[in-house]
Amino acid sequence: MTDTVVVPPDVLTAVRTKHRALWAAGNYPVLAAEVIPALGPVLVEAAGVGPGDHVLDVAAGSGNAAIPAALAGAHVIASDLTPELFDAGRAAAATSGAELTWAEADAHSLPFDDAAFDRVLSCVGVMFAPFHGTAADELLRVTRPGGTIGLIAWTPAGFIGQMFATMKPYAPPPPPGAEPPPLWGDEAHVRALFGDGVTDLHAEVRTLPVARFSSGAEFRDFFKAVYGPTIAVYRAVADSAERTAALDQELLDLAARFQDADGAMGWDYLLLTATRA
């Protein structure tokens, strides 16, 4: 692994508070269930999760990967900074017959023992921990030697990566040392983060078909209502009708670049698996 810059505790505390509120806003479980439910099973299969495995899902949200992992027979802990998401996860787990444990945890400082898990997963989750080196070191620390780390992250050039690029000029400045979430979708960046802490790293870009939105306006308004990062950006410009209208239009333009005539889109993501050295 590479040398990691130590983030001051007060900065981590402030980020933790801000990000918990961000992801508690809106209704992320609706997005997970209606737009990206296919991603969790893809990650579980790629990571080779099976009966008896001890699995940690980092930044699990409402269990998009954790629940399929439990249904595969693993002993699963779904951890997330925002426990407000767990009620929806517990309901989904009960409906599917999955049994797992839910734990509040910050990806920058996981409350688990070294080498405690056979498989450590994160499905478009850990990518939003802004101090990438610190989060990567934690993923490595809790994975046993010979165990598997499996990640899905949105790519910088794909739809969600471009959505974040579109919103960036309207957002408050990030804390010093923070890195953009879609960098986790860049293979070279993740290879550098893990360094010699892993072997047999395999990465490929795949595309998630998304047919949930019939128009750009429907996409924009859905994200404005349920997705924490989008809600936060609109709040940041709420006192300016001009900037709000400009952001509205830029998100419509973004959708137009990616949607076909029927409104369907393809969202690129990086699927990565690696063996803990």
Side-chain angles (χ1 to χ4, degrees), residues 194-215:
F194 288 145
D196 60 6
V198 300
T199 62
D200 302 322
L201 187 151
H202 176 75
E204 63 176 297
V205 174
R206 295 188 181 183
T207 302
L208 174 72
V210 175
R212 169 63 174 74
F213 310 110
S214 61
S215 68

Side-chain angles (χ1 to χ4, degrees), residues 126-127 129 132 135-136 139 151 153 181-186 189-190 193-194 270:
V126 73
M127 65 180 291
H132 294 188
L139 296 179
L151 306 174
L183 277 180
W184 277 93
D186 178 82
H189 180 71
V190 184
L193 289 175
F194 288 145
L270 186 74

Side-chain angles (χ1 to χ4, degrees), residues 105-157:
D106 180 0
H108 296 118
S109 181
L110 295 169
F112 307 109
D113 292 338
D114 295 357
F117 298 96
D118 303 304
R119 321 275 175 184
V120 174
L121 312 178
S122 190
C123 182
V124 296
V126 73
M127 65 180 291
F128 293 103
F131 304 109
H132 294 188
T134 301
D137 286 352
E138 283 294 275
L139 296 179
L140 291 167
R141 181 183 66 79
V142 300
T143 308
R144 67 165 176 80
T148 299
I149 296 173
L151 306 174
I152 284 179
W154 303 117
T155 65

